[in-house]
Amino acid sequence: MSSTLEIAIFLSMNGNAKEAIHFYKKHLNAEELLLVTYQDLATRGSSIQITDENKDRISHSVLLIGRTKVMVAEDTMNTSEEYTIGNNTSLCIQSADLEEIEHFYHSLVTDDRVKVIVPLSNNLFSKAYGIIEDPFGIQIQLMFDDRLQ
């Protein structure tokens, strides 16, 4: 296992990400490490349609609470699902070791009880990013992140 492997908690806030970030900063002394709006994402070449309603919504953020990273965004991992308490939390497994992320993904999908939500692939922010749902209903994001080196 690589020395860059980490697991972060990912919270989907159903349109309340800014409010949640402010809450965690105020009450838990969270430090904002990253904040990306949908408008920011669109400037990087995303296919997201920007409107007055969504341009300032949070696509992704990373807070540091103590030594734990908490990621906060507006939407759930599987946007085809209606938001409910329970599908608003996932684990994000990240590593600067691309082979490690690929190994985890390929190992997970060999279990026929695992549901692939987003196949592991190259995208705007990672050389390898995918989302699965394990047999217990836990959604797991797998992401290569060379910034962890």
Side-chain angles (χ1 to χ4, degrees):
M1 203 159 301
S2 75
S3 63
T4 64
L5 181 68
E6 69 178 26
I7 298 177
I9 301 161
F10 190 98
L11 305 174
S12 300
M13 292 299 182
N14 197 30
N16 296 311
K18 277 189 178 180
E19 182 181 348
I21 290 166
H22 175 73
F23 179 88
Y24 297 137
K25 287 168 78 171
K26 178 179 179 181
H27 297 290
L28 299 176
N29 296 324
E31 177 186 348
E32 186 178 298
L33 301 180
L34 176 72
L35 186 108
V36 179
T37 64
Y38 284 113
Q39 187 165 337
D40 296 334
L41 198 58
T43 63
R44 298 179 188 177
S46 173
S47 62
I48 293 174
Q49 297 296 322
I50 299 302
T51 65
D52 285 339
E53 292 81 35
N54 75 1
K55 68 180 181 182
D56 294 323
R57 287 175 56 109
I58 307 302
S59 167
H60 184 62
S61 68
V62 180
L63 304 177
L64 188 63
I65 302 173
R67 294 185 299 169
T68 302
K69 287 183 182 172
V70 176
M71 299 174 176
V72 179
E74 305 290 358
D75 301 312
T76 58
M77 293 297 92
N78 187 350
T79 55
S80 67
E81 289 182 334
E82 184 176 325
Y83 178 93
T84 57
I85 301 300
N87 72 354
N88 62 327
T89 305
S90 66
L91 298 178
C92 185
I93 299 175
Q94 339 182 79
S95 177
D97 183 339
L98 180 60
E99 289 178 7
E100 184 170 48
I101 292 301
E102 290 172 337
H103 169 76
F104 288 154
Y105 178 82
H106 293 299
S107 178
L108 285 161
V109 299
T110 62
D111 188 312
D112 59 1
R113 300 172 299 161
V114 168
K115 177 182 173 184
V116 175
I117 297 171
V118 174
L120 189 71
S121 63
N122 184 5
N123 68 19
L124 198 59
F125 56 87
S126 177
K127 289 182 183 176
Y129 177 78
I131 307 169
I132 63 97
E133 184 174 294
D134 75 12
F136 315 101
I138 305 299
Q139 294 176 350
I140 301 172
Q141 302 173 68
L142 298 150
M143 185 172 91
F144 167 74
D145 189 343
D146 58 2
R147 296 172 298 174
L148 296 173
Q149 293 185 27

